[in-house]
Amino acid sequence: MKLHERCQKVSGITRHLRDAGIYPYFRPINRSWGTEVEVAGKRLVMIGSNDYLGLAHDARVKEAAAQAIFRMGTGPGGSRFLSGNMVLHQTLEERLAAFVGKKRAVLHVTGFSTNLGALGCLLTPSDYVLCDRENHASIFAGLGGTKKMGTFVHNDAGSAARKIASEMAKPDFDGQVLLITEGIFSMSGDVAVMDELAGLKKQFPDLLVYLDDAHGLGVLGPNGRGTAEHFGVTAQTDFIMGTFSKAFASIGGFIASDHVDVLEYIQHQSRTQIFSAALPAASATAALTCIDILEAEPERVTRLHSITARMRKAYNEMGLRITQSLSPIIPITIGSDEKAFMFAQELFDRGIFALPAIYPAVPRGQALIRTACMSTHEDRQLDFVLEVMDEMARKYRIRIQDQDEVAAEEEAAAGQASTIAGARSSQSLL
Ligand SMILES: Cc1ncc(COP(=O)(O)O)c(C=O)c1O
C-alpha cells in the first residue's frame, strides 16, 4: 500500500471521530495544577496522569529545576560524549544507582531512548531475547534488529521457563538469554511476578534479567525503590531500567546494574546516548530532587497506596471490571472502542480527564479507560470521580452484572461491524 493511502486511512478515522465529537487524544492542556488541569477553558480532575506522586507540582522540585536553569542554562549544548556532560549527570547517576541498589547507572534523555539505545547495543546475533508479550513498545523497538526473539505468556514464569529451556536445548545455542519484563505494566497495571521471573536464574544460572521499571519506580518497594526491591530480588535482577517521566516528575531515563563493564559499554555504544543531546539541567535536577523527597518522605508512597486501595475497593463495589493488583494504574474495561470513546467524552464533559486505550493497545472488544491515582489527589476529587463513574457505569452498562446481557445483544448485532472498526483493522495507530 502506498504511503498516502496508509496515511489517509488513519486521517479518515481521526476525522470521523472528530466529526462525531468523540476524538479523545492530543487534548491541549492549557494549565496544570497536577491533580486538576484546564482544557479549552474547562477545569477537570486529572485521573489519567503518570505523575503518581504528584511531584511535578511540588514547590521544591520546581524551585530546584528553576535554579538549575539559572546555573546551567536551558539546553545542554551537546551530547554528553562531547560538550554536554555535567557534574549533575554524574551525581544523578550515582544517586540513582544507590536508590535502586545497583553499582552504577547510565542516563539517557528519555525512557524510550534508554530501551532503544541499551537494548540496541547489548545483543549479538547468537543471543536469545525473551519478552513478556505485553512489554512496552520501546522494548520491542530496541530489539528491532534482534535475530532470535520470543515472547512468553503475559506474566507467566512457567511459560518463560519452557521457552528458555527449549532455546538452550538447541545443539548450536552458544549465546546469552535475556529475559525482559516490565515491573508494573503500563496499560493493565499488572505487577510482574518478579520473584518468579528472577527466580528462574536458579534453574538457568546464565540467564540475564532486564526489568523496565518505568511505572514501578517511586511506587513499589520501600521508599518507592521499585519492583525488584518490593520482591526482594534486586540482586537477581541484572538490569533495572527506569524513567523520570512518571513518579520522578521530569523527563529522562536510566539503566542501572552491577555489571559495571556492561554499563561502561552502553555508555559508549548506545546510539541514543552518543548521538543525542544530554539531559537538560532542569530535568536532571527535578529527578534528583524527587530522589531527595522520596528518601525523606516515604509517606507519599504510603498515601498513594491508600488512595489506590480506596479507589479499587469502590470500583469493585460498583461492579466495574478492573484488573486486581497493587498498582495505581486502574484500567476500567468498557467494551467496544466506540463505547470507550463515548465514555471518555462524557467523562470529559462532566469534568474528568481520563483516556481510552483501544485495539491494538488492548485486545479487540476490551477497550478500557485507563485511570491512575496520584498521592496528591484530594478526597473531594476522588469522591467526585467515584460519583460520576457510578452513574456512568449504569448508563453505559459496563458493570459485570450488565455484561452478559450486553454480550447477548452484541452477538445479535454481530456482522454489522461499524465503519470505524472496519477501517481500523488493518493499521496500528488507532
Ligand atoms: C514501560 C515503559 N517503558 C518505557 C517508557 C518510555 O518512557 P519515557 O516516557 O520516559 O520515554 C514508558 C512510557 O510510557 C513505559 O510505559
Side-chain angles (χ1 to χ4, degrees):
M1 192 191 295
K2 291 264 199 272
L3 175 67
H4 73 271
E5 286 174 60
R6 256 194 297 134
C7 297
Q8 277 166 3
K9 274 202 160 178
V10 172
S11 62
I13 296 163
T14 55
R15 199 175 320 114
H16 174 94
L17 292 171
R18 283 199 176 97
D19 290 350
I22 53 171
Y23 178 76
Y25 303 117
F26 293 96
R27 283 198 196 283
I29 296 173
N30 187 42
R31 192 149 181 214
S32 169
W33 296 268
T35 53
E36 294 189 13
V37 291
E38 187 192 287
V39 180
K42 191 177 167 67
R43 194 158 166 147
L44 305 130
V45 173
M46 169 55 82
I47 192 88
S49 170
N50 295 329
D51 178 18
Y52 302 118
L53 299 173
L55 288 173
H57 281 269
D58 187 281
R60 295 162 292 181
V61 179
K62 289 197 278 194
E63 176 62 24
Q67 288 305 326
I69 289 179
F70 286 115
R71 187 180 157 83
M72 296 298 292
T74 49
S79 156
R80 284 186 72 194
F81 181 52
L82 298 172
S83 54
N85 194 31
M86 302 176 200
V87 172
L88 179 58
H89 292 137
Q90 290 169 207
T91 309
L92 179 55
E93 285 177 336
E94 283 162 22
R95 291 289 303 281
L96 284 163
F99 189 73
V100 298
K102 292 292 179 193
K103 287 191 181 140
R104 191 173 166 192
V106 172
L107 285 175
H108 280 71
V109 279
T110 63
F112 199 105
S113 74
T114 308
N115 280 333
L116 201 60
L119 293 171
C121 74
L122 276 185
L123 300 153
T124 70
S126 54
D127 296 328
Y128 176 67
V129 189
L130 189 56
C131 276
D132 185 293
R133 263 183 210 160
E134 294 189 10
N135 275 350
H136 191 257
S138 57
I139 296 172
F140 289 108
L143 297 172
T146 306
K147 290 225 165 67
K148 291 199 261 175
M149 196 183 98
T151 55
F152 60 93
V153 175
H154 173 55
N155 223 3
D156 182 337
S159 162
R162 286 189 291 281
K163 293 259 173 143
I164 298 168
S166 107
E167 191 61 30
M168 283 183 160
K170 291 184 180 160
D172 59 341
F173 183 77
D174 66 346
Q176 191 92 53
V177 180
L178 181 71
L179 181 149
I180 311 179
T181 182
E182 292 181 34
I184 293 180
F185 286 82
S186 58
M187 276 298 152
S188 63
D190 290 343
V191 176
V193 286
M194 212 44 219
D195 48 347
E196 295 175 31
L197 292 170
L200 293 175
K201 283 169 84 94
K202 284 194 199 118
Q203 201 179 336
F204 308 104
D206 289 338
L207 175 69
L208 292 172
V209 176
Y210 185 110
L211 166 66
D212 174 336
D213 216 12
H215 297 268
L217 201 69
V219 170
L220 291 180
N223 293 65
R225 286 171 202 275
T227 310
E229 201 56 28
H230 172 77
F231 285 102
V233 293
T234 299
Q236 294 91 315
T237 306
D238 296 274
F239 300 101
I240 298 179
M241 172 271 168
T243 162
F244 310 148
S245 62
K246 325 293 182 206
F248 278 20
S250 182
I251 191 119
F254 72 95
I255 176 162
S257 179
D258 289 331
H259 302 290
V260 289
D261 293 338
V262 180
L263 286 199
E264 185 72 6
Y265 180 82
I266 291 174
Q267 172 117 44
H268 290 86
Q269 294 296 322
S270 159
R271 296 173 71 78
T272 53
Q273 163 82 256
I274 298 291
F275 298 107
S276 191
L279 192 64
S283 307
T285 302
L288 195 55
T289 313
C290 287
I291 299 179
D292 290 341
I293 293 174
L294 264 170
E295 287 178 346
E297 299 173 7
E299 62 274 14
R300 283 186 168 268
V301 181
T302 316
R303 161 111 181 121
L304 177 64
H305 286 291
S306 69
I307 287 177
T308 299
R310 175 182 170 204
M311 296 303 274
R312 286 185 173 280
K313 182 165 180 283
Y315 290 148
N316 278 324
E317 283 169 4
M318 273 177 214
L320 299 184
R321 196 180 288 276
I322 60 171
T323 54
Q324 308 297 338
S325 85
L326 269 181
S327 91
I329 302 168
I330 315 179
I332 299 172
T333 303
I334 304 293
S336 70
D337 294 354
E338 292 77 4
K339 199 169 178 179
F341 285 132
M342 288 191 297
F343 196 95
Q345 185 60 42
E346 185 164 342
L347 279 178
F348 180 86
D349 294 340
R350 295 176 71 155
I352 295 173
F353 192 113
L355 292 181
I358 58 165
Y359 176 83
V362 296
R364 273 185 210 283
Q366 292 177 37
L368 52 85
I369 299 289
R370 182 186 184 277
T371 73
C373 302
M374 297 166 71
S375 70
T376 42
H377 272 134
E378 293 171 26
D379 287 343
R380 65 173 176 88
Q381 295 167 328
L382 300 174
D383 291 342
F384 170 66
V385 169
L386 290 175
E387 190 187 311
V388 172
M389 283 290 185
D390 193 33
E391 280 173 31
M392 287 182 55
R394 290 164 202 276
K395 176 173 170 188
Y396 283 80
R397 296 197 298 159
I398 57 165
R399 297 173 309 163
I400 291 165
Q401 62 259 47
D402 299 328
Q403 285 186 357
D404 284 348
E405 224 178 283
V406 173
E409 285 170 19
E410 280 176 357
E411 211 170 300
Q416 297 176 3
S418 77
T419 40
I420 299 172
R424 200 187 49 246
S425 61
S426 62
Q427 54 76 46
S428 63
L429 180 64
L430 282 167

